[in-house]
Amino acid sequence: MAEPGPIVDLRQSPTALRIQRGVMRHLREALDVCAYAEVPLSNGRRADILGLGPKGEITIIEIKSSLADFRVDAKWHHYKDFCDRFYFAKPPELEAEIFPETEGLMVADNHGALVLREARHEPLASARRKAMLLKLARLGAARIHLLMDPGERLPRL
Amino acid sequence: MAEPGPIVDLRQSPTALRIQRGVMRHLREALDVCAYAEVPLSNGRRADILGLGPKGEITIIEIKSSLADFRVDAKWHHYKDFCDRFYFAKPPELEAEIFPETEGLMVADNHGALVLREARHEPLASARRKAMLLKLARLGAARIHLLMDPGERLPRL
């Protein structure tokens, strides 16, 4: 991994960061799901939020902070190859109707989130889940270690 | 998990923290092993350092900062049920001869570590490895999330 990711990614808008915080808090407090922000995937994309349930269930949440943000992204469906459930997350002021009805949807602010539409359950193949658990376990260790002891030579994920 | 663990555990001696830093740096920089400090295990003990290799290999390193520290611990062999390879890590001033010849041994200071004796390879059962990877991936997420957004209701590991 060239770059295990800072805790706050300066490329994100304040709205996106509020949604990130609210969704991650909801996952932790309501669902017992442990979540990472900004997870690099093997297809070269980064998941905004990736949650890991107590049985290894993987949920990806793609944050869309504005209509423009949604329209500019034609590649969101590629995230679905890396999770059991996929949601968009939007701020309260953005209309729910712009999102595809086939996908899960959350609304979130700085303090929490609410599921507006449940995602379909499309289970990952077991080999991919296993590979992702290993990568996530290494990613978590590398990010924490970087805070404890900054270094240049970091593991490749 | 009641407590996902601070980055610096105040119960540890300065010598133990120096060894922790050097061993973790060695794992990361020389071996491409991502390491966690203070990992709770399902037998109620905590591994001082738990390293995760690129193929999911698990190494536990038990830090012994003094002869007294080694003598007081009659339970180190219980760590061996949770890893493929087990090492003791000692500071330079502690004699290597006090450690059992059957186990791996590292010497470490604040800057790095050196393997004095390789550990035997005793592979984990696949079900335990799988369970541990999931727990570690959740532990990493929970620890990072706690830094991003302190909270009280944390996942159980």
Side-chain angles (χ1 to χ4, degrees):
Chain A
M1 177 175 56
E3 178 252 319
I7 280 184
V8 174
D9 185 328
L10 296 177
R11 295 171 302 178
Q12 293 174 322
S13 72
T15 301
L17 285 174
R18 283 194 292 271
I19 296 171
Q20 179 196 81
R21 187 166 183 263
V23 169
M24 288 181 71
R25 193 180 279 190
H26 176 72
L27 294 175
R28 176 171 69 188
E29 296 180 8
L31 304 174
D32 189 24
V33 166
C34 299
Y36 289 95
E38 295 290 325
V39 175
L41 302 173
S42 60
N43 65 358
R45 294 183 60 88
R46 290 168 80 88
D48 288 337
I49 300 172
L50 189 152
L52 191 52
K55 293 178 178 172
E57 317 91 304
I58 295 176
T59 302
I60 288 181
I61 297 101
E62 170 70 5
I63 296 169
K64 292 298 175 200
S65 49
S66 68
L67 180 57
D69 188 18
F70 177 70
R71 282 195 173 145
V72 83
D73 177 13
K75 292 184 176 171
W76 57 264
H77 54 276
H78 293 301
Y79 293 119
K80 297 184 68 178
D81 297 336
F82 295 88
C83 59
D84 301 298
R85 289 185 173 83
F86 175 80
Y87 292 87
F88 288 104
K90 73 173 199 72
E93 63 273 18
L94 188 59
E95 294 80 4
E97 289 68 30
I98 69 166
F99 294 96
E101 280 187 19
T102 49
E103 310 304 331
L105 184 62
M106 297 185 190
V107 57
D109 64 13
N110 205 26
H111 301 289
L114 192 71
V115 173
L116 297 178
R117 183 168 51 232
E118 286 293 348
R120 282 178 297 169
H121 183 224
E122 298 174 297
L124 282 171
S126 131
R128 175 158 282 179
R129 187 187 315 279
K130 190 175 163 188
M132 287 185 72
L133 289 183
L134 173 56
K135 284 187 180 190
L136 291 168
R138 281 170 55 87
L139 176 71
R143 286 184 176 178
I144 296 164
H145 195 185
L146 192 68
L147 296 172
M148 296 167 73
D149 183 16
E152 293 191 6
R153 182 153 173 201
L154 293 165
R156 187 165 296 277
L157 287 187
Chain B
M1 178 174 55
E3 177 252 320
I7 280 182
V8 173
D9 185 327
L10 295 177
R11 293 171 303 178
Q12 293 174 323
S13 72
T15 302
L17 286 174
R18 282 194 292 272
I19 297 171
Q20 179 197 81
R21 187 167 184 264
V23 168
M24 289 181 71
R25 191 179 280 188
H26 176 72
L27 294 174
R28 176 171 70 187
E29 296 178 10
L31 303 174
D32 189 23
V33 165
C34 298
Y36 288 96
E38 295 288 325
V39 175
L41 303 173
S42 59
N43 65 358
R45 294 182 61 89
R46 290 168 81 88
D48 287 337
I49 300 172
L50 189 151
L52 191 52
K55 295 180 177 171
E57 318 90 303
I58 295 176
T59 301
I60 289 181
I61 298 100
E62 169 71 3
I63 296 170
K64 292 299 175 198
S65 50
S66 67
L67 180 57
D69 187 18
F70 176 70
R71 282 195 172 146
V72 83
D73 177 14
K75 292 183 177 171
W76 57 265
H77 53 278
H78 293 300
Y79 293 118
K80 298 184 67 178
D81 297 335
F82 295 88
C83 59
D84 301 297
R85 289 184 173 84
F86 174 81
Y87 291 87
F88 288 104
K90 72 172 199 73
E93 64 272 18
L94 188 60
E95 294 80 4
E97 289 69 30
I98 69 164
F99 294 95
E101 281 186 18
T102 50
E103 310 304 331
L105 184 62
M106 298 186 188
V107 58
D109 64 13
N110 205 27
H111 302 289
L114 192 71
V115 171
L116 298 178
R117 183 168 52 232
E118 287 293 348
R120 283 178 297 170
H121 183 224
E122 298 174 296
L124 280 171
S126 130
R128 175 158 282 178
R129 187 186 315 279
K130 190 175 164 190
M132 286 184 74
L133 289 183
L134 172 56
K135 284 187 180 190
L136 292 168
R138 282 172 54 87
L139 177 71
R143 286 184 176 177
I144 296 163
H145 195 185
L146 191 69
L147 295 172
M148 296 167 74
D149 183 16
E152 292 192 6
R153 183 154 172 201
L154 294 165
R156 188 165 296 278
L157 289 185

Short mmCIF file of all heavy atoms in Angstrom, two decimals, chain A residues 100-125:
data_model
loop_
_atom_site.label_atom_id
_atom_site.label_comp_id
_atom_site.label_asym_id
_atom_site.label_seq_id
_atom_site.Cartn_x
_atom_site.Cartn_y
_atom_site.Cartn_z
N PRO A 100 -31.00 5.51 -7.63
CA PRO A 100 -31.68 4.36 -8.24
C PRO A 100 -32.47 3.56 -7.20
O PRO A 100 -31.96 3.25 -6.12
CB PRO A 100 -30.52 3.52 -8.81
CG PRO A 100 -29.26 4.12 -8.31
CD PRO A 100 -29.54 5.48 -7.81
N GLU A 101 -33.67 3.19 -7.57
CA GLU A 101 -34.56 2.49 -6.64
C GLU A 101 -34.08 1.09 -6.32
O GLU A 101 -34.52 0.46 -5.37
CB GLU A 101 -35.96 2.39 -7.24
CG GLU A 101 -36.76 3.66 -7.09
CD GLU A 101 -38.20 3.47 -7.54
OE1 GLU A 101 -38.65 2.31 -7.61
OE2 GLU A 101 -38.86 4.49 -7.82
N THR A 102 -33.18 0.59 -7.15
CA THR A 102 -32.68 -0.77 -6.94
C THR A 102 -31.62 -0.84 -5.84
O THR A 102 -31.23 -1.94 -5.44
CB THR A 102 -32.03 -1.26 -8.24
OG1 THR A 102 -31.12 -0.23 -8.69
CG2 THR A 102 -33.07 -1.52 -9.30
N GLU A 103 -31.15 0.32 -5.37
CA GLU A 103 -30.03 0.30 -4.41
C GLU A 103 -30.47 0.81 -3.05
O GLU A 103 -31.42 1.57 -2.93
CB GLU A 103 -28.86 1.16 -4.92
CG GLU A 103 -28.43 0.88 -6.35
CD GLU A 103 -28.07 -0.59 -6.60
OE1 GLU A 103 -27.61 -1.26 -5.66
OE2 GLU A 103 -28.26 -1.06 -7.73
N GLY A 104 -29.70 0.40 -2.02
CA GLY A 104 -29.97 0.87 -0.67
C GLY A 104 -29.70 2.36 -0.54
O GLY A 104 -28.91 2.93 -1.31
N LEU A 105 -30.38 3.00 0.42
CA LEU A 105 -30.21 4.44 0.60
C LEU A 105 -30.28 4.82 2.08
O LEU A 105 -31.17 4.36 2.81
CB LEU A 105 -31.31 5.19 -0.18
CG LEU A 105 -31.23 6.73 -0.18
CD1 LEU A 105 -29.94 7.23 -0.84
CD2 LEU A 105 -32.45 7.34 -0.88
N MET A 106 -29.33 5.63 2.51
CA MET A 106 -29.33 6.18 3.87
C MET A 106 -29.35 7.70 3.78
O MET A 106 -28.83 8.28 2.83
CB MET A 106 -28.06 5.79 4.64
CG MET A 106 -27.87 4.31 4.87
SD MET A 106 -26.40 4.04 5.93
CE MET A 106 -26.25 2.26 5.77
N VAL A 107 -29.92 8.32 4.80
CA VAL A 107 -29.78 9.77 4.95
C VAL A 107 -28.96 9.98 6.23
O VAL A 107 -29.14 9.26 7.22
CB VAL A 107 -31.15 10.48 5.02
CG1 VAL A 107 -32.02 9.94 6.15
CG2 VAL A 107 -30.98 11.99 5.16
N ALA A 108 -28.03 10.94 6.18
CA ALA A 108 -27.15 11.09 7.33
C ALA A 108 -26.79 12.55 7.56
O ALA A 108 -26.71 13.35 6.61
CB ALA A 108 -25.87 10.29 7.12
N ASP A 109 -26.59 12.89 8.83
CA ASP A 109 -25.96 14.16 9.17
C ASP A 109 -24.76 13.85 10.06
O ASP A 109 -24.32 12.70 10.14
CB ASP A 109 -26.96 15.13 9.81
CG ASP A 109 -27.49 14.62 11.13
OD1 ASP A 109 -26.91 13.64 11.70
OD2 ASP A 109 -28.47 15.19 11.64
N ASN A 110 -24.27 14.86 10.73
CA ASN A 110 -23.07 14.72 11.55
C ASN A 110 -23.25 13.76 12.73
O ASN A 110 -22.29 13.26 13.29
CB ASN A 110 -22.72 16.12 12.09
CG ASN A 110 -21.26 16.24 12.42
OD1 ASN A 110 -20.42 15.54 11.86
ND2 ASN A 110 -20.95 17.14 13.35
N HIS A 111 -24.49 13.53 13.12
CA HIS A 111 -24.75 12.80 14.37
C HIS A 111 -25.24 11.38 14.19
O HIS A 111 -25.19 10.59 15.12
CB HIS A 111 -25.76 13.58 15.21
CG HIS A 111 -25.29 14.95 15.54
ND1 HIS A 111 -24.26 15.18 16.42
CD2 HIS A 111 -25.66 16.16 15.06
CE1 HIS A 111 -24.03 16.49 16.49
NE2 HIS A 111 -24.87 17.10 15.67
N GLY A 112 -25.73 11.06 13.01
CA GLY A 112 -26.24 9.72 12.83
C GLY A 112 -26.80 9.53 11.44
O GLY A 112 -26.66 10.41 10.58
N ALA A 113 -27.43 8.40 11.24
CA ALA A 113 -27.98 8.08 9.92
C ALA A 113 -29.23 7.24 10.09
O ALA A 113 -29.48 6.68 11.17
CB ALA A 113 -26.95 7.34 9.09
N LEU A 114 -29.97 7.18 9.01
CA LEU A 114 -31.22 6.42 9.00
C LEU A 114 -31.27 5.71 7.65
O LEU A 114 -30.94 6.30 6.62
CB LEU A 114 -32.37 7.42 9.11
CG LEU A 114 -33.78 6.91 9.39
CD1 LEU A 114 -33.87 6.42 10.83
CD2 LEU A 114 -34.77 8.06 9.18
N VAL A 115 -31.68 4.46 7.67
CA VAL A 115 -31.83 3.74 6.41
C VAL A 115 -33.19 4.08 5.80
O VAL A 115 -34.23 3.85 6.42
CB VAL A 115 -31.70 2.22 6.62
CG1 VAL A 115 -32.03 1.46 5.33
CG2 VAL A 115 -30.30 1.86 7.07
N LEU A 116 -33.18 4.65 4.61
CA LEU A 116 -34.43 4.97 3.92
C LEU A 116 -34.90 3.79 3.07
O LEU A 116 -36.09 3.60 2.85
CB LEU A 116 -34.25 6.18 3.01
CG LEU A 116 -33.89 7.50 3.71
CD1 LEU A 116 -33.68 8.60 2.68
CD2 LEU A 116 -34.96 7.89 4.72
N ARG A 117 -33.94 3.04 2.55
CA ARG A 117 -34.29 1.86 1.73
C ARG A 117 -33.22 0.81 1.97
O ARG A 117 -32.02 1.10 1.83
CB ARG A 117 -34.33 2.26 0.24
CG ARG A 117 -34.75 1.12 -0.68
CD ARG A 117 -35.07 1.63 -2.11
NE ARG A 117 -34.00 2.45 -2.63
CZ ARG A 117 -34.16 3.68 -3.14
NH1 ARG A 117 -35.35 4.24 -3.23
NH2 ARG A 117 -33.11 4.33 -3.58
N GLU A 118 -33.63 -0.39 2.34
CA GLU A 118 -32.66 -1.46 2.59
C GLU A 118 -32.00 -1.89 1.28
O GLU A 118 -32.63 -1.87 0.22
CB GLU A 118 -33.36 -2.68 3.22
CG GLU A 118 -33.74 -2.50 4.68
CD GLU A 118 -32.54 -2.39 5.62
OE1 GLU A 118 -31.40 -2.67 5.20
OE2 GLU A 118 -32.75 -2.00 6.79
N ALA A 119 -30.75 -2.28 1.40
CA ALA A 119 -30.03 -2.79 0.23
C ALA A 119 -30.39 -4.25 0.01
O ALA A 119 -30.74 -4.96 0.95
CB ALA A 119 -28.53 -2.67 0.46
N ARG A 120 -30.31 -4.66 -1.24
CA ARG A 120 -30.45 -6.10 -1.51
C ARG A 120 -29.23 -6.84 -0.97
O ARG A 120 -28.13 -6.28 -0.92
CB ARG A 120 -30.55 -6.31 -3.03
CG ARG A 120 -31.93 -5.98 -3.57
CD ARG A 120 -31.95 -6.17 -5.07
NE ARG A 120 -31.02 -5.25 -5.72
CZ ARG A 120 -30.66 -5.33 -7.00
NH1 ARG A 120 -31.13 -6.29 -7.76
NH2 ARG A 120 -29.82 -4.43 -7.51
N HIS A 121 -29.45 -8.08 -0.59
CA HIS A 121 -28.35 -8.91 -0.12
C HIS A 121 -27.84 -9.76 -1.27
O HIS A 121 -28.54 -10.63 -1.77
CB HIS A 121 -28.85 -9.80 1.03
CG HIS A 121 -27.76 -10.63 1.63
ND1 HIS A 121 -27.91 -11.96 1.94
CD2 HIS A 121 -26.49 -10.32 1.96
CE1 HIS A 121 -26.78 -12.43 2.43
NE2 HIS A 121 -25.90 -11.46 2.47
N GLU A 122 -26.63 -9.45 -1.70
CA GLU A 122 -26.01 -10.19 -2.81
C GLU A 122 -24.66 -10.69 -2.33
O GLU A 122 -23.65 -9.99 -2.48
CB GLU A 122 -25.88 -9.26 -4.03
CG GLU A 122 -27.25 -8.78 -4.53
CD GLU A 122 -27.16 -7.74 -5.65
OE1 GLU A 122 -26.61 -6.64 -5.40
OE2 GLU A 122 -27.63 -8.03 -6.75
N PRO A 123 -24.65 -11.88 -1.73
CA PRO A 123 -23.46 -12.34 -1.00
C PRO A 123 -22.21 -12.46 -1.87
O PRO A 123 -22.26 -12.93 -3.00
CB PRO A 123 -23.87 -13.73 -0.48
CG PRO A 123 -25.35 -13.77 -0.56
CD PRO A 123 -25.74 -12.85 -1.67
N LEU A 124 -21.12 -12.02 -1.28
CA LEU A 124 -19.81 -12.16 -1.91
C LEU A 124 -19.42 -13.62 -2.03
O LEU A 124 -19.81 -14.44 -1.19
CB LEU A 124 -18.74 -11.50 -1.01
CG LEU A 124 -18.62 -10.00 -1.04
CD1 LEU A 124 -17.67 -9.56 0.08
CD2 LEU A 124 -18.07 -9.56 -2.39
N ALA A 125 -18.61 -13.92 -3.02
CA ALA A 125 -18.00 -15.25 -3.08
C ALA A 125 -17.04 -15.39 -1.90
O ALA A 125 -16.42 -14.42 -1.48
CB ALA A 125 -17.25 -15.41 -4.39
#
